[in-house]
Amino acid sequence: MSSCHKAYITTPIYYVNDIAHIGHAYTTIIADTLARYSRMSGLDTFFLTGTDEHGQKIEESAKARGKSPQEYADEISATFKNLWDEFGISYDKFIRTTDKDHMKGVQKAFKVMYDNGDIYKDVYKGHYCISCETFFPEIQLVDGEFCPECGKPTTVVEEESYFFKLSKYQDKLLEWYDAHPECILPRSKRNEVIRFVEGGLEDLSITRTSFDWGVKLPEELNDPKHVMYVWLDALMNYVTALGYGTDEAKMDFWPARVHLIGKDILRFHAIYWPAFLMSLGLELPKHIAAHGWWTRDGEKMSKSKGNVINPKEVADAYGLDNFRYFMLREVPFGGDGDFSQKALIDRINSDLGNDLGNLLNRLIGMSGKYFEGRVDASNVTRYYQAELDEVEASLDKLEPLLFEMQIHRYLEELWRPLTVANRAIDKYQPWTLMKEGKEEEAMALNGLIATILAKVAVMLYPVMPQICPKIATALGFTIDNASWQKLIKEKELIKAFTIEKVPPLFPRIEEPLLEQEKPDDTKKEAPKAPVKKEEKKEEGVALIGIDQFFQTSLKVGTVVKAEEVPKSKKLLLLQVDLGEEKPRQIVAGIKEWYSAEDMLDTQVCVVANLKPAKLMGYTSEGMLLAAKDEDGLCMIRPEKPKKPGTPIG
Ligand code: MSP
């Protein structure tokens, strides 16, 4: 059985009736992040992913394409595997449910459960949704016919079937949830499961006779017309991958540290799977962690809308590590997330470019200018102990956050040391230290910044495994178990080194890099009723809904610096404090009415979520509100002073 030095991490196995989309990439990238962290921290790690290839849905999809189910499964399974290989996903095994060993293991499990008296034969009468591969009692159907999960029509099934005594495990399951508050993450999801189980469990039909594409029952049962229910077959992959029922050498990785799944398949993992395991006499997984769903620009993704996100296109356009960071940082684990290019660009430009990339550039600049590239952290504790303490306090919180699946908070907390570093440079000003002849102090500041960057690079590595090693190389070290041990566990400072210049790691992105996909007209949803003319226009202006209005972020700002744009009759260059880490640069066409001096220290109203634009070579990161008539232009300002960043609306 698994010791605390082992970590077994799994993704769901993906159906081969579709190619990989952002939802699949999301689960796989989270699992990859956990696996990389586990390995880096010295745990003996096994990371499993793969494809789910049996069942009626796959059989029908193959038929529709004129292929045998095996041919079809081979083809689509390879597209998943290839994508994960291109993405550098560090899986240890890619399992396919059509693998011989897997099928043998499933048969063995069936036999064990049968011999334990947990399986009996009866007739199943009820409704089946092929799309969800799920049985539903009549009472749960919508309008007596449609699937309560996906809304598609269900099929009436009346056939001989083997049943698993799920009802027998109801109390034991409730005891398990009770004794292990963290068995289902996030914890709120555990309550949903408990309520469902308390409502009563019916025995589960676990074989079918009306189609063929599945694992046959063990020969001893001599009942060749049955194939196993695809979810029984699929869930068993988590143990057959370790050799259950064949070569059991890897079974010492069991129980899983975490099964990562999407919220739609929680019931299978949190109810059926533990009940099967209890019947098999195997330990239960430590955690089942369910994430939310991704939408695109606020809408559900679907093939018919033509808005499904292809993860490869996003990674190719924006960089794989940037995409990984975005997905993990943007959404609290368990919540639903919205993919928009704007949100992705903001994360890249702001978190990665401004906070991380610029810090490395500042370090390269300071070391080059004052110390011929040398960095030595020997005197850091003498001058900057307070900063170091703050950094270590943040780093100490990280590991638990990761394994509690609070990955967005992990990244948020990991950014605090970067803020400490950027703030330290602004506060202690190496250029002033050098001017005052405090060379030792300036070098210590350099050492502090390098140490912070090194520690952040180590802890960010599992999320950004391509870029962090480049940061480490620039800082003269390698990310591995030894450096994790020294820099993170033993809280050491970075060893003296000579810095290497690196090209900018996060070049600023000004425009969306992917074309918005157009919906496929032939598959459009029912046309909406035409809007009457008088409803649509008012004084020649299109009417908008309140939510469209709220898409504009308006904020109060204070002008903290104002100057003229050289050679421009119209433009002023302003730095406006919006309560963010740095003032925004705004280029405003107001010079005919306001001088730079007029604007300084005044308050303005700013459109804060405009795409950055370049005017006369200066990037403008917002727009000021003003009113203009034949008498000229005046600024729109708050009536009373307001804190910078106060939202307007
Ligand atoms: N084959 C089963 C899993 C068996 S595991 C023993 C299955 N496959 S799936 O391909 O349909 O879905 C795999 C995973 O993708 C699920 O965890 C599901 O939640 C996730 N996602 C599918 N669409 C998604 C989004 N739009 N967003 C996030 N994840 C989504 O279910």
Side-chain angles (χ1 to χ4, degrees), residues 11-17 21-24 26-27 52 57 80 231 234-238 260-265 269 291-295 301:
T11 73
I13 45 174
Y14 303 111
Y15 283 133
V16 289
N17 66 330
H21 60 66
I22 188 173
H24 304 129
Y26 181 55
T27 328
D52 188 355
K57 180 161 59 173
F80 275 96
W231 269 101
L235 287 163
M236 287 299 162
N237 94 91
Y238 298 131
L260 270 157
I261 56 166
K263 63 180 182 182
D264 54 317
I265 56 175
H269 283 80
H291 63 69
W293 271 55
W294 281 89
T295 50
M301 280 180 271

Side-chain angles (χ1 to χ4, degrees), residues 72-123:
Y72 176 62
D74 288 349
E75 227 171 73
I76 308 273
S77 177
T79 65
F80 275 96
K81 189 162 184 292
N82 292 343
L83 181 68
W84 304 149
D85 289 342
E86 271 182 57
F87 275 12
I89 298 297
S90 63
Y91 60 82
D92 294 290
K93 183 174 170 81
F94 185 99
I95 192 169
R96 300 184 53 187
T97 52
T98 49
D99 289 343
K100 292 258 160 348
D101 282 357
H102 167 76
M103 299 206 278
K104 264 194 211 155
V106 178
Q107 288 175 327
K108 155 95 188 280
F110 195 99
K111 179 83 177 31
V112 173
M113 297 196 289
Y114 186 85
D115 290 346
N116 283 346
D118 280 344
I119 292 180
Y120 62 93
K121 201 163 161 180
D122 203 339
V123 172

Side-chain angles (χ1 to χ4, degrees), residues 516-576:
Q516 299 286 345
E517 278 170 46
K518 303 235 167 32
D520 176 348
D521 282 342
T522 56
K523 293 180 189 157
K524 247 193 209 150
E525 281 156 32
K528 301 216 169 74
V531 184
K532 279 198 228 125
K533 258 210 180 118
E534 59 273 26
E535 278 174 9
K536 216 168 102 192
K537 297 251 175 183
E538 188 199 54
E539 292 178 27
V541 180
L543 291 181
I544 59 167
I546 189 80
D547 27 354
Q548 262 171 297
F549 171 72
F550 281 122
Q551 282 173 14
T552 315
S553 163
L554 296 173
K555 289 185 179 172
V556 174
T558 304
V559 180
V560 290
K561 193 172 172 198
E563 55 198 308
E564 297 187 355
V565 170
K567 295 196 201 131
S568 167
K569 284 193 196 124
K570 294 191 174 159
L571 301 179
L572 289 184
L573 185 63
L574 309 174
Q575 304 295 331
V576 182

Side-chain angles (χ1 to χ4, degrees), residues 55-66:
Q56 200 168 354
K57 180 161 59 173
I58 309 296
E59 192 180 70
E60 289 185 2
S61 296
K63 215 180 190 175
R65 288 165 180 78

